[in-house]
Amino acid sequence: MTNAPSNTRVRRSEPETNEQETESEEQELACPECAGNLVVDDEHGETVCEDCGLVVEEDSVDRGPEWRAFDAAEKNEKSRVGAPTTNTMHDKGLSTNIDWRNKDAYGNSLGSRQREKMQRLRKWNERFRTRDSKERNLKQALGEIDRMASALGLPTNVRETASVIYRRALDEDLLPGRSIEGVSTACVYAAARQAGVPRSLDEIADVSRVEKNEIARTYRYVVRELGLEVQPADPESYVPRFASGLELSDEAEHRARSLLQNAKEKGVHSGKSPVGLAAAAVYAAALLTNEKTTQAAVSDVADISEVTIRNRYHELLEAEETIGMA
């Protein structure tokens, strides 16, 4: 009886019918040249012998994830199966949808009997997705949030934040006595201010289905009850959008920011509308940099009256002169 190599695994308890399979497995685990141990190098995609260095296999398929993690917390955060979940859908995107187009996988139109069948399936699928009144409420509200965010040009992170705020309001039972549209609009307004991409109340009211006063009242209620940390709107955050709408240069935008910073030093911004101050600063900066624009054009972009622009314009220039004299 010969001695088996150190790396050979001999299964004495297995029946004789499995001896050939065992030998083939042992050959795969051993180096064909020196019968040494084989190790898999995931970094280079190779299977190498530890003893003689023979590369037995190369260009192996990496079946792991496409991301890297450097600690356990990051690994748990990135680990996923399937599409990522999102708070902008009432079921977080975990369910499936039946396409509204009556076509098969090859793009051919379905027959009349198949269309009726698909219509029934869509109806029952929709009923199963929204099983109770809370889910129907959430579905309608998140649809409103997505519609308003699209109309206002808000990024995805603002939509996610607004959806989370609405979910919290629904869990805290803040909706009785208030409309779904009013609360969803207030959530969009709060999320935009938290993300640093604020929209004025007039802009929000233009895309909403409720009145401006109701939006303001619901917004104050939601912020107070949920304890949201919303900083006062900074006039400078409106400047890039206004300057882009008027097609002004970077120099004019920088000058507008400088005017607003001087106004803050003199306390001119206290009690004033941040939208009005930003619009007046953009108008004044355009004049100071010899760029053509009018109060009417600024009024259209900022959605604020020309009277307000003129009043804030004079206040900004006075603050500028006072600092210059000092």
Side-chain angles (χ1 to χ4, degrees):
M1 180 176 176
T2 58
N3 294 330
S6 60
N7 64 320
T8 304
R9 296 182 296 179
V10 180
R11 302 180 184 179
R12 301 182 184 278
S13 60
E14 293 182 358
E16 295 181 359
T17 54
N18 294 334
E19 288 182 359
Q20 294 180 352
E21 296 180 2
T22 305
E23 289 178 1
S24 63
E25 290 179 1
E26 291 171 356
Q27 290 175 358
E28 291 179 357
L29 295 173
C31 176
E33 293 291 334
C34 66
N37 292 324
L38 298 180
V39 294
V40 178
D41 186 356
D42 293 325
E43 183 177 356
H44 299 91
E46 297 174 344
T47 302
V48 186
C49 176
E50 279 187 322
D51 299 333
C52 66
L54 176 68
V55 179
V56 179
E57 184 182 356
E58 60 181 351
D59 297 331
S60 59
V61 178
D62 184 5
R63 304 186 185 277
E66 81 283 1
W67 43 264
R68 294 190 303 169
F70 300 98
D71 53 33
E74 188 177 3
K75 182 178 180 180
N76 292 332
E77 181 181 354
K78 290 185 176 181
S79 179
R80 64 180 185 273
V81 176
T85 58
T86 173
N87 285 302
T88 58
M89 300 180 69
H90 72 282
D91 53 10
K92 296 190 176 182
L94 297 176
S95 64
T96 56
N97 288 326
I98 300 177
D99 195 7
W100 58 270
R101 291 169 293 190
N102 291 316
K103 294 185 179 181
D104 60 12
Y106 300 99
N108 301 322
S109 298
L110 300 177
S112 59
R113 293 178 63 86
Q114 286 293 329
R115 285 199 300 269
E116 293 176 2
K117 180 180 179 181
M118 295 306 298
Q119 186 60 33
R120 289 196 300 272
L121 288 174
R122 289 190 195 99
K123 183 187 296 184
W124 281 106
N125 182 59
E126 195 65 23
R127 289 176 179 175
F128 283 126
R129 288 184 66 196
T130 54
R131 290 169 292 182
D132 53 25
S133 60
K134 184 177 180 180
E135 289 191 5
R136 286 193 295 271
N137 181 313
L138 192 59
K139 181 181 179 182
Q140 180 182 348
L142 296 181
E144 279 291 299
I145 289 174
D146 188 64
R147 181 188 64 80
M148 289 185 288
S150 297
L152 293 168
L154 296 174
T156 305
N157 65 312
V158 177
R159 305 182 191 199
E160 290 276 352
T161 304
S163 302
V164 171
I165 294 174
Y166 189 90
R167 288 175 184 272
R168 288 185 56 193
L170 188 61
D171 293 337
E172 296 289 336
D173 202 23
L174 302 183
L175 268 68
R178 290 168 180 81
S179 65
I180 295 175
E181 291 82 2
V183 178
S184 57
T185 306
C187 292
V188 172
Y189 185 45
R193 292 187 60 174
Q194 281 188 330
V197 285
R199 297 294 185 268
S200 66
L201 204 54
D202 291 324
E203 291 177 293
I204 296 287
D206 288 341
V207 301
S208 178
R209 293 191 172 100
V210 295
E211 298 294 330
K212 179 180 176 180
N213 292 335
E214 183 181 348
I215 298 172
R217 184 168 58 251
T218 307
Y219 166 74
R220 290 193 295 268
Y221 174 74
V222 170
V223 170
R224 183 177 66 252
E225 293 297 324
L226 296 181
L228 301 178
E229 295 183 3
V230 181
Q231 299 295 330
D234 188 357
E236 290 187 42
S237 60
Y238 293 94
V239 170
R241 186 156 54 90
F242 294 166
S244 176
L246 294 168
E247 297 182 354
L248 299 179
S249 64
D250 293 340
E251 181 186 359
E253 182 179 336
H254 180 74
R255 194 72 177 85
R257 290 178 181 274
S258 176
L259 287 170
L260 290 173
Q261 291 170 2
N262 293 335
K264 289 179 184 178
E265 292 182 13
K266 301 301 293 184
V268 175
H269 70 294
S270 180
K272 304 293 193 307
S273 168
V275 180
L277 282 171
V282 169
Y283 175 67
L287 297 181
L288 292 172
T289 55
N290 296 320
E291 298 188 31
K292 294 182 179 180
T293 190
T294 61
Q295 292 181 7
V298 177
S299 176
D300 291 338
V301 170
D303 195 17
I304 199 167
S305 68
E306 296 181 30
V307 177
T308 303
I309 294 175
R310 283 194 293 271
N311 293 338
R312 300 291 92 81
Y313 166 76
H314 292 300
E315 293 172 359
L316 289 174
L317 291 183
E318 289 176 2
E320 182 86 357
E321 292 176 358
T322 303
I323 292 180
M325 292 173 60

